[in-house]
């Protein structure tokens, strides 16, 4: 009977209507949409059979037209209308203007605003969420036309190292066009899905993803339909655009003109010529081109591949350092990598391919389209989440790219969810109060790898109130971190005796310092020892303050009755010395930490007899007036 039952289930599934779901690669330079049709994932093309949609939007004045122009037509307007034609907007999403070092060369009119960067256009003020929404709307319209039906939702890919602000902003863009987000999927993971399912690959793979604006490296293990992300690193401030900027700067140095004399049209022309030169050097050893600035200044230039490599070599090295770090995180050597998959249009540069091949000691796989892989993988995942295929056919285990934790006393970071933890995930940890009678606790959620809160990114703050008044250390507060499959976080806190609770969905403001977070992993190897030393000092200082507070409270309560004048003076002398050391500041010095530790030991030795006397006195008070029979009843 069992086989018949399985056949019936399969038949019922086949009779169910196919739910239309799509995968979207919302890229810096180009975007794509894909879907599963007749069991096969494929990129959906426009009426001219073009798969790529340039991620370019031109905004027109109300008199010229009510709707923005998106894609190929908008791309043709970059030079004639640079201030209203917005490109590479993905580099701005979820970030404030102060974070964008490259903003000074963009031909836009930025508007002062709190939070995410805003741009003045002929159609009004626009922010990156608005622009991304217009791109998503065009992709959805293409999908509905090709699939001939309404969409149930989409899987949208994001760089693995997009932080919470950038992920939330991407979701907001989808909501603006009424698109249900089934999941945000990391781009390297999407590429691995496309590769693993299309090619039937198994083993351990490195996915090197260099797009127009971001870089990611993910190490994945593929085993019988299980996609297990072992580690991920990257840089959301590094992509093909940065290679263009280097050529643009070189052109300016060659023609010897001042930055102040470059108009918005000149700026867009320079970047376009830089991009064309970069593409030409992928096939040729040298390229010659003309640059026209203003109306009458034309320059003939020649750039060789060797010259180009010298301009951008440090950018490629930067990606390889991230690759090395990801392997170290995964506990693997290059010899244990079965294959390397290149994703993103910027990986077409020969110097990138050569650097990756040299590092891994093997030629990267080229049997997958670097432009389409991410969208194909997203479509496959969307098909599963829409319910069109059995969920047990394959399993995706993605990871959290950056650690999540709390601020502790002394400005120390306590990590709750470590980076590269498989998501979705739920982790809890118990904490307690610091002072007697404390009835509230401030919860500060942070993201990053450093030991000190000042070096991490603040995600959210909330307060747990109504904690019962108890002595320090008696309360039990359980803090729970719950991170979903999109990498978005919920934090809750509950006092276990009273049941008092509070929680927050982490929806970060767009004005936080994302630049510092994106550089955390790159800086981590250089500062780990320094962070450890500072943490040791901070913890020691915190323990010293606590020791002083407890000792002074004991002296106030029992010092006059249980200590002689000389004993009390000795204890107070050690307290005074410890306070002097604490007043020297937070800077780590070997002499400082040694003096702190030695003085704490002396204070501990000086108070041991006092502590014993206080304990005896406490027992005497507890036993006063009780008979032996009463004591026996209490004990037994």
């Amino acid at each position: 009977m069992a086989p018949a039952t399985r056949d019936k289930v399969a038949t019922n599934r086949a009779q169910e209507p196919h739910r239309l779901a799509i995968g979207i690669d919302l890229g810096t330079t180009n975007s794509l949409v894909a879907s599963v049709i007749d069991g096969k994932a494929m990129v959906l093309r426009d009426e001219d059979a073009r798969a790529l949609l340039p991620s370019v939007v031109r905004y027109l004045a109300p008199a010229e037209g009510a709707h923005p122009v998106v894609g190929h037509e908008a791309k043709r307007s970059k030079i004639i209308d640079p201030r209203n034609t917005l490109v590479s907007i993905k580099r701005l999403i979820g970030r404030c203007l102060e974070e964008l070092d490259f903003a000074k060369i963009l031909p836009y009119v930025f508007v002062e605003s709190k939070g995410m960067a805003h741009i003045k256009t002929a159609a009004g003020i626009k922010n990156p969420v608005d622009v991304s929404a217009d791109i998503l709307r065009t992709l959805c319209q293409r999908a509905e036309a090709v699939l001939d039906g309404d969409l149930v939702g989409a899987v949208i890919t994001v760089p693995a190292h997009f932080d919470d602000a950038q992920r939330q902003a991407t979701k907001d863009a989808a909501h603006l066009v009424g698109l249900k987000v089934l999941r945000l999927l990391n781009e390297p993971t999407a590429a691995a899905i496309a590769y693993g399912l299309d090619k039937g690959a198994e083993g351990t793979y490195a996915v090197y993803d260099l797009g127009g604006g971001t870089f990611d490296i993910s190490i994945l293990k593929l085993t019988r339909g299980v996609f297990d992300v072992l580690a991920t690193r990257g840089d959301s401030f590094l992509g093909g655009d940065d290679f263009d900027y280097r050529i643009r700067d070189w052109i300016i140095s060659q023609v010897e003109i001042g930055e102040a004399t470059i108009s918005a049209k000149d700026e867009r022309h320079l970047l376009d010529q830089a991009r064309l030169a970069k593409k030409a050097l992928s096939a040729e050893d040298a390229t010659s081109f003309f640059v026209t600035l203003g109306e009458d200044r034309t320059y003939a230039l020649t750039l060789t591949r060797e010259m180009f490599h010298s301009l951008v070599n440090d950018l490629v090295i930067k990606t390889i350092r991230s690759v090395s770090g990801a392997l170290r995180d995964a506990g693997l050597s290059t010899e244990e990598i079965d294959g390397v998959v290149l994703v993103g249009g910027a990986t077409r540069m020969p110097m990138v391919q050569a650097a990756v091949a040299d590092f891994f000691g093997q030629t990267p796989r080229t049997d997958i389209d670097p432009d389409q892989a991410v969208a194909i993988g997203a479509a496959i995942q969307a098909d599963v989440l829409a319910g069109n295929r059995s969920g047990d056919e394959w399993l995706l285990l993605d990871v959290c790219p950056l650690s999540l934790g709390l601020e502790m006393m002394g400005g120390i970071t306590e990590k709750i969810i470590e980076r590269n933890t498989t998501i979705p995930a739920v982790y809890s940890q118990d904490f307690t109060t610091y002072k007697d009678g404390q009835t509230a606790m401030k919860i500060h959620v942070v993201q990053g790898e450093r030991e000190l809160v000042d070096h991490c990114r603040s995600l959210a703050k909330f307060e747990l109130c109504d904690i019962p008044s108890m002595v320090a250390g008696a309360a039990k507060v359980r803090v729970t971190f719950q991170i979903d499959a999109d990498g978005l976080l919920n934090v809750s806190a509950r006092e276990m005796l009273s049941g008092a609770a509070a929680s927050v969905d982490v929806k970060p403001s767009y004005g936080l310092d994302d630049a510092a977070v994106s550089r955390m992993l790159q800086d981590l190897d250089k500062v780990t020892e320094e962070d450890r030393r500072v943490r040791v000092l901070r913890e020691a200082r915190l323990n010293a303050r606590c020791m002083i507070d407890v000792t002074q409270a004991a002296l106030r309560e029992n010092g006059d009755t249980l200590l002689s004048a000389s004993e009390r003076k000795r204890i107070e002398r050690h307290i005074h010395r410890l306070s002097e050391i604490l007043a020297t500041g937070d800077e780590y010095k070997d002499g400082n930490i040694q003096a702190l530790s030695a003085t704490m030991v002396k204070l501990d030795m000086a108070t041991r007899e006092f502590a014993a006397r206080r304990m005896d006195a406490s027992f005497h008070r507890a036993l006063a007036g009780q008979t032996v029979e009463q004591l026996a009843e209490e004990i037994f």
Side-chain angles (χ1 to χ4, degrees):
M1 294 298 293
T5 303
R6 285 199 294 270
D7 289 343
K8 183 178 181 180
V9 171
T11 302
N12 288 341
R13 182 178 292 122
Q15 292 174 347
E16 292 177 359
H18 183 81
R19 299 175 180 87
L20 301 181
I22 55 175
I24 292 178
D25 176 5
L26 186 60
T28 303
T29 308
N30 295 292
S31 296
L32 300 92
V33 58
S35 187
V36 174
I37 302 175
D38 295 330
K40 181 174 178 59
M42 60 182 66
V43 170
L44 306 181
R45 300 175 181 272
D46 65 11
E47 60 274 11
D48 295 317
R50 296 173 298 198
L52 300 179
L53 175 75
S55 300
V56 184
V57 182
R58 183 189 183 191
Y59 290 98
L60 305 173
E64 298 178 64
H67 301 291
V69 180
V70 181
H72 296 278
E73 185 179 348
K75 185 177 179 180
R76 290 191 286 270
S77 304
K78 287 193 300 181
I79 295 178
I80 64 172
D81 190 14
R83 297 209 184 279
N84 297 303
T85 306
L86 309 185
V87 306
S88 295
I89 206 68
K90 184 175 177 179
R91 303 203 83 185
L92 310 184
I93 197 165
R95 298 173 180 165
C96 61
L97 190 57
E98 290 74 16
E99 300 173 68
L100 308 174
D101 295 337
F102 53 86
K104 60 182 180 294
I105 67 173
L106 298 177
Y108 308 141
V109 178
F110 286 100
V111 179
E112 289 292 332
S113 61
K114 292 183 179 179
M116 192 159 39
H118 285 59
I119 301 170
K120 183 179 179 180
T121 73
I125 305 299
K126 300 293 180 180
N127 64 48
V129 171
D130 299 322
V131 183
S132 299
D134 288 325
I135 297 170
L136 289 173
R137 183 180 290 107
T138 302
L139 292 172
C140 288
Q141 290 170 349
R142 177 191 295 187
E144 289 173 341
V146 173
L147 300 175
D148 192 25
D150 296 328
L151 304 176
V152 300
V155 169
I156 302 177
T157 61
V158 293
H161 268 75
F162 255 26
D163 59 31
D164 284 333
Q166 293 162 306
R167 290 171 187 268
Q168 188 61 51
T170 303
K171 266 194 163 184
D172 291 344
H175 293 159
L176 283 181
V177 298
L179 178 61
K180 181 180 179 181
V181 179
L182 300 174
R183 182 170 179 181
L184 296 180
L185 182 63
N186 289 341
E187 289 166 2
T189 308
I193 291 173
Y195 187 86
L197 291 184
D198 281 357
K199 306 301 177 183
E202 290 198 354
T204 303
Y205 290 84
V207 181
Y208 179 102
D209 183 358
L210 185 61
T214 60
F215 169 70
D216 286 312
I217 173 69
S218 289
I219 310 299
L220 303 95
K221 187 173 184 179
L222 282 60
T223 309
R224 296 182 180 178
V226 177
F227 294 77
D228 189 1
V229 182
L230 304 179
T232 184
R233 285 204 183 197
D235 188 343
S236 57
F237 288 81
L238 174 60
D241 283 359
D242 297 285
F243 291 74
D244 300 339
Y245 297 155
R246 294 292 178 86
I247 299 177
R248 175 259 186 201
D249 292 344
W250 173 81
I251 294 173
I252 291 175
S253 71
Q254 295 300 301
V255 301
E256 297 181 347
I257 61 172
E259 294 263 5
T261 66
I262 301 175
S263 67
K265 289 185 178 181
D266 290 342
E267 195 66 81
R268 181 56 65 203
H269 175 64
L270 284 171
L271 289 172
D272 270 8
Q273 290 300 103
R275 182 172 287 110
L276 290 172
K278 178 185 71 177
K279 289 183 177 180
L281 291 174
S282 291
E284 304 167 4
D285 291 331
T287 181
S288 297
F289 54 96
F290 293 96
V291 172
T292 300
L293 302 176
E295 296 182 1
D296 56 357
R297 295 173 295 171
T298 299
Y299 307 89
L301 298 169
T302 298
L303 179 64
T304 67
R305 183 181 287 182
E306 184 179 357
M307 293 162 60
F308 174 53
H309 289 184
S310 68
L311 293 174
V312 300
N313 188 54
D314 63 306
L315 299 179
V316 179
I317 291 174
K318 202 173 181 182
T319 69
I320 297 301
R321 286 176 182 158
S322 290
V323 174
S324 179
L327 280 176
R328 189 164 58 249
D329 292 342
L332 298 172
S333 66
T334 55
E335 290 77 14
E336 296 173 281
I337 299 299
D338 296 307
V340 183
V341 178
L342 298 182
V343 182
T347 59
R348 288 190 169 92
M349 289 185 281
M351 70 176 302
V352 170
Q353 297 178 4
V356 174
D358 182 64
F359 180 82
F360 283 101
Q362 60 177 287
T363 303
R365 303 290 178 101
T366 57
D367 53 347
I368 188 169
D369 188 328
D371 284 325
Q372 297 188 12
V374 170
I376 291 292
I380 295 171
Q381 173 73 344
D383 197 50
V384 171
L385 295 179
N388 292 322
R389 57 195 298 172
S390 171
D392 58 5
E393 290 180 24
W394 57 282
L395 176 65
L396 172 60
L397 301 174
D398 216 333
V399 296
C400 172
L402 292 171
S403 298
L404 298 160
L406 296 176
E407 177 180 2
M408 306 298 291
M409 291 296 297
I412 297 169
T413 304
E414 179 71 18
K415 295 184 179 69
I416 307 298
I417 297 182
E418 297 277 354
R419 66 186 170 99
N420 292 324
T421 295
T422 300
I423 59 173
V426 179
Y427 281 79
S428 296
Q429 192 163 323
D430 291 340
F431 299 91
T432 190
T433 49
Y434 176 69
K435 292 184 177 181
D436 293 343
Q438 183 177 338
T439 59
M441 181 181 291
K442 292 182 178 179
I443 310 293
H444 182 196
V445 184
V446 296
Q447 181 180 41
E449 307 311 315
R450 301 286 293 274
E451 297 289 343
L452 305 182
V453 168
D454 290 345
H455 298 150
C456 293
R457 177 181 173 192
S458 174
L459 292 183
K461 295 180 181 180
F462 65 102
E463 190 166 331
L464 175 63
C465 301
D466 301 325
I467 298 174
S469 179
M470 292 178 274
V471 298
K476 182 180 179 182
V477 177
R478 181 161 297 168
V479 179
T480 301
F481 277 50
Q482 183 169 346
I483 184 168
D484 66 17
D486 294 330
L488 300 176
L489 177 66
N490 172 274
V491 179
S492 61
R494 176 180 295 274
E495 202 288 308
M496 303 306 291
L497 295 178
S498 65
S503 66
V504 62
D505 287 316
V506 178
K507 293 184 178 179
S509 72
Y510 301 126
L512 296 171
D513 187 8
D514 296 331
V517 177
S518 295
R519 288 190 286 265
M520 279 176 190
L521 290 180
Q522 297 169 41
D523 294 340
L524 184 61
D525 295 335
K526 296 182 288 186
V527 300
T528 298
E529 180 58 23
E530 176 191 348
D531 275 5
R532 188 196 66 78
R533 287 159 61 90
V534 173
R535 180 180 182 122
V536 168
L537 176 60
R538 291 273 182 97
E539 289 178 337
R541 290 173 61 84
L542 186 62
N543 291 336
R545 288 194 186 97
C546 184
M547 193 174 192
I548 290 173
D549 290 345
V550 170
T551 305
Q552 288 178 332
L555 288 175
R556 287 193 296 270
E557 183 178 354
N558 303 114
D560 293 337
T561 58
L562 298 181
L563 293 173
S564 66
S566 61
E567 288 174 328
R568 180 164 188 157
K569 187 174 182 179
R570 180 181 173 221
I571 292 173
E572 289 176 339
R573 185 170 66 250
H574 289 307
I575 291 175
H576 179 70
R577 174 58 183 148
L578 196 54
S579 298
E580 283 184 332
I581 298 173
L582 288 176
T584 60
D586 283 343
E587 183 181 358
Y588 186 98
K589 295 178 181 177
D590 288 337
N592 193 351
I593 191 70
Q594 290 170 4
L596 193 65
S597 300
T599 306
M600 289 174 67
V601 171
K602 290 178 181 178
L603 178 58
D604 178 62
M605 295 295 292
T607 56
R608 285 187 179 181
E609 179 59 29
F610 180 34
R613 293 174 191 174
R614 294 187 75 224
M615 185 173 292
D616 287 342
S618 178
F619 278 131
H620 282 305
R621 286 194 301 271
L623 300 179
Q626 295 195 59
T627 65
V628 174
E629 290 76 10
Q630 289 173 325
L631 288 174
E633 286 182 11
E634 290 184 7
I635 295 173
F636 300 104

